Amino acid sequence: MNFNKIKTDKTEKTQQSNERQIVLYSNDVDNARIFIMYEVVNNEQDAMTVFLTQLKLRGNENPEIKSYKNVKYVESIDSKINGRYIYTQQFDQAKGFVVIKALMYHIDAKNSDFYQTINPIQTTKLIDELIKFSKP
């Protein structure tokens, strides 16, 4: 599937926030998005806080966090937009940053080719693809 970069946003470290870069990719034909966020963090606890904050922004207050290949992930349905999402968190302690990646897409008639293709794929295979997608 072809995703094009549509937005990059970078913030510098301030008293209220860490240095952060956000990149958004879109597959406009299929109405699918890949969100990637790199944020400088001090430790694994800060990395988890960043991850939970992103999930809360999706309305997931009590996510079921799973692990696969040293990656934490959450998959769920967003009923507000009739969509599915998979969020991953990779913490690099040596470099002091966390990478949050998310695949999000609508489950509707306009998007049927995409979701009928992607829904049967095992979540772990999708996570493998997210891990490989746009490495820093």
Side-chain angles (χ1 to χ4, degrees), residues 75-123:
E75 64 175 322
S76 190
I77 300 294
D78 185 335
S79 58
K80 292 178 198 167
I81 63 164
N82 191 28
R84 178 180 181 209
Y85 63 87
I86 299 171
Y87 269 76
T88 65
Q89 180 231 43
Q90 297 169 266
F91 172 58
D92 187 329
Q93 187 168 5
K95 294 180 181 176
F97 70 90
V98 63
V99 179
I100 307 295
K101 293 183 180 181
L103 169 65
M104 301 167 277
Y105 60 93
H106 291 274
I107 304 170
D108 58 29
K110 288 192 286 186
N111 197 23
S112 65
D113 289 345
F114 183 81
Y115 79 78
Q116 287 177 1
T117 300
I118 204 165
N119 270 349
I121 298 173
Q122 288 184 325
T123 300

Side-chain angles (χ1 to χ4, degrees), residues 122-133:
Q122 288 184 325
T123 300
T124 53
K125 177 67 176 149
L126 294 173
I127 291 169
D128 285 335
E129 293 303 316
L130 274 172
I131 291 168
K132 290 188 277 186
F133 189 87

Side-chain angles (χ1 to χ4, degrees), residues 54-67:
Q54 289 303 310
L55 292 168
K56 286 180 182 176
L57 291 172
R58 290 246 42 101
N60 195 335
E61 295 292 326
N62 298 305
E64 180 184 345
I65 299 172
K66 300 174 186 174
S67 292

Side-chain angles (χ1 to χ4, degrees), residues 26-58:
S26 174
N27 180 331
D28 291 329
V29 173
D30 300 312
N31 201 18
R33 305 276 187 272
I34 294 178
F35 166 88
I36 303 175
M37 182 174 86
Y38 306 95
E39 185 164 334
V40 175
V41 294
N42 295 319
N43 53 47
E44 193 167 359
Q45 183 177 353
D46 289 349
M48 183 56 73
T49 299
V50 171
F51 189 47
L52 291 172
T53 300
Q54 289 303 310
L55 292 168
K56 286 180 182 176
L57 291 172
R58 290 246 42 101

